[in-house]
Amino acid sequence: MTVLSGPERLAGLDLTVEVVATALAAADRESALCSDLDPPILEGLLRWGRATRALREQLVPHGWTYDNPNNLARTIHPSGDFAVVLATGDAGTGQSETGAGPRHSRGYATEQAIVANGQLTFEFGSLLQLTGADRPGGPGHLKTWFLLYHAEPDCFHAELSLPQGIDRGRITRWTERILLPPVPRGRGGGSPGPATPAPPAVPAGAN
C-alpha cells in the first residue's frame, strides 16, 4: 500500500517546496535555450542535468553531499540515511488519482537502489555507501527517493517518492509518494517567485 503525503512532509526530509521549485525553474531556463536545430533528446537531458545541479547548489552548502555511482546522480542528506535522485516523470506525476513513475525505463543502478530500499540492514554494494569517509555512523543503508517532475505547457507537476519495487526497468510500487503543488513555468503563465534558501540541515531520521 502506498502512503500519499502532502508538501508538509518535506520538512521531515530537510527539504522545501521552494528548493524544488528553484531547481525546476533553473532547469527550465536552461532547456529553453534549445532550438529545432538541436537533437530532439537534448531538451530533456538539459532539464534533468540542470535540475540536478541546481538542487545540489542549494543543498550542498547545508551539509548535503553527492555522488554518481554507475551514473545514478544522488544528492545525499547529511545523516547519510537517504539520497534524492531526479527523473522525468510520466503524466501521472503529482496526481493523487493515478499512479506515477519515471517516463523512461531505468537501468541497473536504479534497480540496485530500489532493491536496497526494501532491505533495511543489508549493505547492497557501493550504492549503500558514501564516497567520503565522513559519513555519520559509518557505512550502512541508504534509501533512494525519486524527485519526479513532468512538464506541462504552464507548469511542472512534481512529487518526491520512495520506490519499493521494479520490474524490467519500470518502477511498479512505491512506499510513499509526497505530492507537491504545481510549479509555474517561466515560459508559460507565470514564473516561480523568489526561492527561500534551504534551512540548515538537521538529520531528520524520518526516511
Side-chain angles (χ1 to χ4, degrees):
M1 180 177 177
T2 302
V3 175
L4 295 180
S5 306
E8 66 281 352
R9 170 74 169 92
L10 291 180
L13 299 171
D14 294 325
L15 293 167
T16 66
V17 171
E18 289 80 5
V19 166
V20 174
T22 296
L24 293 179
D28 216 23
R29 289 192 297 271
E30 193 83 9
S31 61
L33 299 176
C34 292
S35 77
D36 291 340
L37 300 178
D38 288 309
I41 65 170
L42 182 61
E43 181 176 353
L45 287 174
L46 278 175
R47 185 179 290 125
W48 166 78
R50 189 63 183 92
T52 298
R53 173 180 162 183
L55 183 71
R56 290 171 170 180
E57 287 173 340
Q58 296 177 84
L59 297 178
V60 167
H62 300 289
W64 293 62
T65 56
Y66 62 91
D67 66 2
N68 307 284
N70 298 320
N71 293 319
L72 186 68
R74 306 188 304 183
T75 304
I76 303 165
H77 187 264
S79 67
D81 289 337
F82 67 92
V84 175
V85 171
L86 281 85
T88 304
D90 60 21
T93 299
Q95 311 296 320
S96 61
E97 64 275 10
T98 64
R103 181 178 177 182
H104 306 291
S105 61
R106 307 295 299 187
Y108 175 71
T110 295
E111 183 175 351
Q112 281 195 310
I114 292 175
V115 171
N117 279 350
Q119 301 185 23
L120 299 181
T121 59
F122 180 64
E123 285 192 43
F124 203 84
S126 62
L127 284 172
L128 301 188
Q129 301 179 29
L130 298 188
T131 55
D134 298 328
R135 173 174 172 179
H141 184 73
L142 173 62
K143 289 188 176 181
T144 303
W145 290 76
F146 275 75
L147 177 54
L148 301 177
Y149 57 90
H150 177 76
E152 296 287 355
D154 60 345
C155 70
F156 286 103
H157 295 293
E159 63 180 78
L160 183 66
S161 297
L162 184 65
Q164 185 182 34
I166 188 169
D167 181 33
R168 299 179 183 178
R170 296 289 179 179
I171 296 176
T172 57
R173 296 189 311 280
W174 302 90
T175 299
E176 182 177 2
R177 295 174 61 201
I178 303 173
L179 306 182
L180 306 181
V183 176
R185 296 184 68 184
R187 334 174 169 179
S191 58
T196 302
V202 177
N207 58 327

